[in-house]
């Protein structure tokens, strides 16, 4: 009996037939056997002689995420300090990790008033508060785990790099996607040569429209001056993944983009400043704050600055923060769609799109090579071999124990960072500062291009570290 063809396979085959008259049959992985595409190499993990001690600057969403690694693996990481202005967040972190009163502060500056008190500083403050604590921490000899975007300008990134070199610090940048099983596998497939030489890449970052409204219209990343252009604050992950997978420098970039929807000219008649103020269009508005935060469950309440998710408390929060504001009447200026064309060494082209107006999130990547191609969507990838006329599939869920936190990337990053710090070996960390800066340079240069109407920009070669 032939295997029944599943729906996805049938669609893939039909799509291929409709598109090109070529349908490559699937070679199934055998249960209990190594996957025919192989697996990424790993290094030998070693238990640290004692846990790495660290203090969290900014006990918000990301700070708590990284601290939860310490709660799960106390023999590897211990949180011994916290700087956080919101009292209940400060208190929650202190109680969870037994942080003594003298190592709790209401702002990052105070953490550096006294002598060095731990191995490393974890910087998870908002984007405009990365440079200050990073420079202060390096000055005092700490290692760093630094959230992206590294800083708000290329000059600031360079300052941090120079200081880290002077101090011999280990600095991990939270380009967490590099550590997820899916993207590690994608890189492995490219490095294995199975696709031949890579010729071009198409990469899509669909932000998902509610996520767009929450973070980039109402939230902390809505305004370039207070945060960064969205190409840095969101898509630096994607530029970083492209640079990492291709393994060679980007030479030229060009970018276009605009803010189309979330602007005052698009305000519907009858819209009030706040959604709860009797707005005439609220019931049908896809971005209604009442629909997202009150009637929509707790999916988007992680930036609520008071405890509790009861309706009265949510309405109180909406009444005084941007999260309750009309999406067409804010001070947001970051783009809701942007494209970047890139040319890497050897003439490899990459086309990237950030799209805010999608019904879905995640990433979609197509890699075209001289001997085959790859189509992936984070949940799976299909790898086609032109000569052998066959297709292999790799399903993420079958190869990963934990897909929480950026597809497993968050914890895998902390694991490698702890190894790098405890073994004084930065090579155990793929997203060290020098490597991570390359994608930031692409991003800042692409932004220059966009501001100039899409001019072709050459990446200044001498700018890169090393
Ligand atoms: N790596 C990723 O995939 C990823 C994902 C989301 C966010 N981020 C980045 O992580 C950082 C934090 O994002 P978040 O979602 O956790 O935001 P958040 O708002 O949940 O957390 C930031 C915290 O910093 C605190 N803070 C503000 N001023 C401070 C000060 N002076 N001193 C100390 N703390 C201060 C805030 O009160 C807040 O609790 C940002 O730079 C963001 O861009 C990275």
């Amino acid at each position: 009996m032939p295997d029944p063809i599943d729906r996805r396979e049938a669609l893939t085959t039909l799509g291929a037939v409709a598109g090109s008259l070529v349908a490559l049959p699937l070679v199934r992985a055998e249960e209990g056997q190594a996957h025919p595409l192989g697996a990424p190499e790993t290094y030998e993990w070693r238990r640290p002689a004692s846990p790495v001690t660290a203090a969290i600057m900014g006990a918000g969403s990301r700070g708590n995420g990284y601290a939860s690694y310490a709660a799960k693996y106390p023999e590897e990481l211990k949180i011994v300090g916290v700087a956080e202005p919101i009292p209940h967040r400060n208190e929650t972190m202190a109680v969870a990790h037994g942080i003594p009163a003298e190592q709790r502060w209401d702002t990052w500056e105070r953490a550096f008033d006294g002598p060095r008190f731990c191995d490393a500083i974890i910087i998870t403050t908002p984007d405009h508060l990365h440079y200050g604590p990073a420079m202060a921490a390096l000055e005092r000899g700490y290692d760093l785990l630094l959230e992206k975007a590294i800083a708000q300008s290329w000059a600031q990134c360079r300052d941090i790099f120079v200081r880290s070199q002077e101090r011999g610090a280990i600095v991990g940048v939270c380009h967490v996607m590099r550590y997820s099983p899916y993207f590690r596998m994608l890189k492995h497939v490219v490095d294995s040569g199975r696709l031949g030489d890579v010729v071009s890449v198409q990469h899509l970052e669909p932000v998902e429209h509610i996520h767009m409204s929450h973070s980039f219209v109402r939230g902390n990343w809505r305004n370039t001056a207070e945060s960064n252009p969205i190409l840095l604050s969101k898509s630096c992950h994607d530029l970083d993944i492209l640079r990492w997978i291709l393994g060679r420098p980007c030479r030229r970039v060009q970018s276009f983009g605009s803010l189309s929807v979330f602007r005052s000219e698009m305000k519907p008649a009858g819209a009030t400043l706040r959604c709860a103020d009797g707005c005439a269009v609220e019931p049908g508005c896809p971005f209604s704050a009442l629909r997202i935060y009150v009637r929509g469950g707790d999916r988007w309440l992680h930036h609520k600055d008071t405890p509790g998710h009861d309706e009265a408390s949510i309405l109180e929060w909406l009444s005084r923060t941007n999260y309750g504001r009309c999406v067409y009447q804010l001070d947001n200026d970051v783009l809701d769609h942007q494209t970047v064309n890139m040319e890497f060494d050897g003439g490899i082209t990459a086309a990237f799109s950030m799209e805010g107006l999608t019904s879905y999130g995640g990433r979609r990547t197509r890699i075209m090579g001289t001997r085959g191609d790859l189509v992936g969507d984070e949940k799976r990838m299909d790898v086609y071999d032109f000569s052998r006329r066959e297709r292999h599939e790799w399903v993420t869920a079958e190869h990963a124990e934990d897909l929480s936190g950026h597809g497993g990337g968050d914890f895998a990053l902390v694991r490698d960072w702890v190894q790098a710090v405890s073994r004084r070996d930065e090579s155990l960390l793929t997203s060290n500062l020098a490597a991570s800066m390359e994608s930031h340079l692409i991003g800042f240069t692409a932004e220059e291009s966009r501001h100039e109407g899409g001019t072709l920009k050459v990446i200044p070669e001498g700018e890169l570290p090393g």
Side-chain angles (χ1 to χ4, degrees):
M1 278 279 286
D3 280 350
I5 294 179
D6 69 19
R7 186 167 175 274
R8 161 122 194 175
E9 193 177 331
L11 289 175
T12 308
T13 306
L14 284 172
V17 170
S20 64
L21 298 177
V22 177
L24 304 185
L26 170 68
V27 178
R28 288 192 184 279
E30 297 292 329
E31 208 171 324
Q33 306 270 316
H35 195 283
L37 293 174
E41 275 182 25
T42 52
Y43 66 89
E44 192 196 337
W45 180 86
R46 286 191 218 145
R47 182 184 299 276
S50 60
V52 167
T53 54
I56 303 267
M57 304 294 109
S61 171
R62 303 299 298 165
N64 276 286
Y66 297 132
S68 67
Y69 187 92
K72 191 163 180 192
Y73 302 105
E75 71 286 3
E76 290 182 52
L77 178 64
K78 182 165 172 54
I79 305 301
V80 297
V82 60
E84 166 61 53
I86 298 177
H88 82 89
R89 291 187 181 180
N90 192 310
E91 178 74 11
T92 304
M93 181 70 73
V95 170
H97 298 276
I99 299 171
E102 64 277 13
Q103 281 163 204
R104 290 174 59 183
W105 302 276
D106 61 355
T107 182
W108 66 266
E109 292 90 337
R110 307 243 154 78
F112 303 106
D113 284 347
R116 187 170 178 269
F117 63 95
C118 60
D119 300 320
I121 300 291
I122 298 178
I123 299 182
T124 47
T125 36
D127 287 18
H128 68 287
L129 300 178
H130 288 185
Y131 181 72
M135 293 297 279
L138 290 168
E139 190 59 46
R140 282 156 189 77
Y142 291 104
D143 293 321
L144 286 187
L145 183 62
L146 175 58
E147 254 307 351
K148 57 83 217 162
I150 297 170
Q152 287 185 293
S153 68
W154 179 243
Q156 289 184 345
C157 292
R158 280 197 67 89
D159 282 355
I160 295 173
F161 178 74
V162 169
R163 187 67 55 88
S164 74
Q165 294 291 293
E166 287 166 3
R167 299 288 161 167
I170 306 271
V171 180
V173 176
C174 300
H175 279 138
V176 288
M177 278 164 49
R178 285 189 183 216
Y179 299 84
S180 71
Y182 168 83
F183 281 107
R184 290 186 63 223
M185 186 62 190
L186 200 127
K187 178 158 173 62
H188 163 75
V189 171
V190 170
D191 288 352
S192 72
R194 190 169 274 272
L195 307 178
D197 295 329
V198 174
V199 171
S200 57
V201 185
Q202 207 182 45
H203 183 76
L204 170 70
E205 182 191 19
V207 177
E208 198 277 320
H209 63 295
I210 302 297
H211 185 184
M212 182 78 212
S213 72
H214 174 83
S215 297
F216 304 99
V217 180
R218 292 178 164 127
N220 296 346
W221 301 270
R222 72 185 180 282
N223 187 283
T224 307
E226 288 176 22
S227 165
N228 257 312
I230 194 166
L231 194 59
L232 272 302
S233 67
K234 180 91 176 94
S235 311
C236 68
H237 278 308
D238 301 273
L239 301 178
D240 181 69
I241 283 290
L242 287 168
R243 166 64 185 86
W244 181 55
I245 283 167
L246 293 176
R248 55 183 73 200
C250 175
R251 298 298 184 197
R252 302 197 291 172
V253 293
Q254 179 191 40
S255 179
F256 299 98
S258 67
L259 175 60
S260 301
V261 171
F262 305 101
R263 45 195 295 151
S264 56
E265 297 91 315
M266 303 296 281
K267 177 174 83 104
T272 50
L273 198 61
R274 288 187 181 275
C275 303
D277 287 352
C279 174
V281 295
E282 184 280 318
C285 176
F287 305 108
S288 154
L290 300 177
R291 175 189 278 203
I292 297 169
Y293 303 108
V294 179
R295 303 192 290 271
D298 60 6
R299 165 77 178 85
W300 294 105
L301 291 176
H302 53 292
H303 286 119
K304 185 167 171 288
D305 55 9
T306 47
H309 290 171
D310 57 290
E311 190 171 322
S313 142
I314 297 171
L315 287 171
E316 186 279 325
W317 174 64
L318 293 181
S319 72
R320 64 177 165 77
T321 65
N322 281 341
Y323 295 103
R325 291 271 299 268
C326 171
V327 292
Y328 305 105
Q329 305 180 67
L330 275 152
D331 63 346
N332 57 305
D333 66 359
V334 304
L335 310 187
D336 52 24
H337 65 120
Q338 184 166 13
T339 61
V340 183
N341 278 325
M342 286 158 271
E343 186 183 53
F344 286 78
D345 240 13
I348 300 174
T349 53
F352 168 66
S353 290
M354 180 283 296
E355 303 294 345
L357 296 161
T358 58
S359 56
Y360 49 91
R363 266 90 180 178
R364 312 280 190 276
T365 312
R366 291 168 186 257
I367 303 179
M368 281 58 70
T370 50
R371 286 178 36 203
D373 70 340
L374 178 155
V375 179
D377 66 1
E378 288 196 275
K379 293 190 174 63
R380 58 180 274 150
M381 66 183 80
D382 290 291
V383 179
Y384 298 84
D385 186 317
F386 300 156
S387 320
R388 295 161 80 165
R389 308 192 62 72
E390 58 189 32
R391 170 168 71 92
H392 293 283
E393 68 175 11
W394 189 90
V395 178
T396 308
E398 292 171 5
H399 298 272
E401 284 166 23
D402 171 22
L403 291 175
S404 63
H406 290 99
D410 288 1
F411 267 26
L413 158 74
V414 185
R415 174 186 181 273
D416 282 6
W417 176 74
V418 166
Q419 289 289 300
V421 170
S422 61
R423 291 158 72 168
R424 308 299 315 151
D425 182 356
E426 204 176 64
S427 72
L428 300 175
L429 197 59
T430 70
S431 65
N432 60 35
L433 187 55
S436 300
M437 281 173 66
E438 286 208 45
S439 48
H440 282 56
L441 185 56
I442 300 172
F444 286 120
T445 313
E447 276 296 284
E448 283 175 25
S449 161
R450 182 180 68 79
H451 282 294
E452 292 169 10
T455 53
L456 184 65
K457 304 292 283 189
V458 175
I459 303 270
E461 212 172 317
E463 281 292 316
L464 286 173

